[in-house]
């Protein structure tokens, strides 16, 4: 508003600030997401300026807080992204190194994927049927057979499947974090406030 000057004493400025603050009140309008800001005083022009400036400051602070939260989120994701990227490279290197040393076919990978699908189907069916349902019984028998197949595989195949699974998990985490990182960058660059003025003071 330009009513506080650096040339004035700190006490005078504090008095002016306190006087302005004492004229302002705000309330949330019941059953809405609206806030009514009211300013009382004897000078119509002065209190109109205070009311409208209060709204502008509120909007600016809202946008500033939104950006601050987005920046903190972006920084957190950025740190996590760097960690996951490092873990992904390590997992890929372990997988590559293992594959060079051990003659593996990767058969355990497909078997494990089939096992995951079957267990997921059982879990989904159990939300609307009992353990005695013919389809659930059949699926559980197939799961047992596949688990026996896995046990009969060489340890090298199982280890290769585990290392491959580590790579897939890290890749999935990395992609998810990349998406969230881009979203956070967009939010941080946002220039519009979530607050809208319904009507100005006149």
């Amino acid at each position: 508003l330009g009513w506080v000057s650096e040339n004035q004493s700190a006490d005078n400025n504090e008095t002016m600030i306190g006087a302005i603050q004492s004229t302002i009140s705000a309330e949330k309008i019941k059953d809405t997401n609206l806030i009514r800001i009211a300013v009382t005083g004897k000078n119509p022009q002065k209190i109109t300026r205070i009311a409208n400036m209060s709204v502008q400051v509120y909007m600016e602070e809202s946008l500033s807080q939104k950006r601050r939260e987005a920046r903190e989120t972006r920084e957190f994701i950025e740190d996590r992204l760097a960690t996951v990227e490092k873990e992904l490279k390590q997992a890929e290197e372990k997988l590559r190194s293992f594959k060079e040393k051990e003659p593996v076919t990767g058969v355990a990978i497909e078997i494990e994927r089939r096992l995951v699908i079957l267990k997921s189907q059982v879990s989904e069916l159990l939300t609307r049927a009992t353990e005695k349902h013919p389809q659930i019984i059949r699926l559980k028998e197939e799961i047992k057979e596949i688990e026996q197949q896995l046990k009969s595989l060489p340890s090298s195949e199982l280890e290769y499947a585990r290392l491959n699974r580590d790579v897939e998990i890290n890749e999935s985490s990395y992609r998810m974090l990349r998406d969230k990182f881009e979203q956070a960058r967009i939010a941080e660059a946002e220039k519009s406030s979530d607050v809208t003025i319904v009507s100005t003071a006149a």
Side-chain angles (χ1 to χ4, degrees), residues 124-172:
E124 197 273 328
L125 280 170
L126 283 171
T127 62
R128 47 195 170 84
T130 67
E131 297 271 357
K132 295 180 181 179
H133 190 282
Q135 194 174 357
I136 292 177
I137 293 171
R138 182 182 59 77
L139 285 170
K140 285 194 170 183
E141 287 174 353
E142 192 173 347
I143 287 170
K144 283 182 181 177
E145 289 175 8
I146 289 176
E147 287 175 340
Q148 287 300 318
Q149 285 180 33
L150 281 173
K151 288 178 181 177
S152 65
L153 289 174
S155 60
S156 59
E157 290 288 352
L158 296 175
E159 178 63 11
Y160 180 68
R162 185 189 69 76
L163 292 171
N164 188 76
R165 189 163 60 249
D166 287 346
V167 170
E168 289 179 348
I169 290 170
N170 279 295
E171 282 178 342
S172 177

Side-chain angles (χ1 to χ4, degrees), residues 88-98 100 167:
L88 174 58
K89 287 179 179 178
Q90 289 174 345
E92 287 174 337
E93 179 57 30
K94 283 181 181 178
L95 181 64
R96 185 192 62 77
S97 178
F98 185 84
E100 287 177 354
V167 170

Side-chain angles (χ1 to χ4, degrees), residues 53-78:
M53 185 57 72
S54 295
V55 176
Q56 290 298 327
V57 171
Y58 181 77
M59 291 178 70
E60 288 169 13
E61 180 58 28
S62 173
L63 179 57
S64 176
Q65 183 175 338
K66 181 180 176 182
R67 285 176 172 170
R68 186 163 55 249
E69 290 172 355
R71 186 183 68 250
E72 289 171 356
T73 300
R74 192 257 307 157
E75 288 172 351
F76 172 78
I77 293 172
E78 201 167 15

Side-chain angles (χ1 to χ4, degrees), residues 24-38 51 54-55 58-59 62 195-199:
I24 306 169
S25 63
E27 64 172 343
K28 185 175 183 295
I29 300 174
K30 188 177 180 182
D31 299 326
T32 72
N33 62 347
L34 300 177
I35 297 171
R36 179 188 287 117
I37 293 177
S54 295
V55 176
Y58 181 77
M59 291 178 70
S62 173
V195 181
T196 304
I197 300 174
V198 176
S199 62

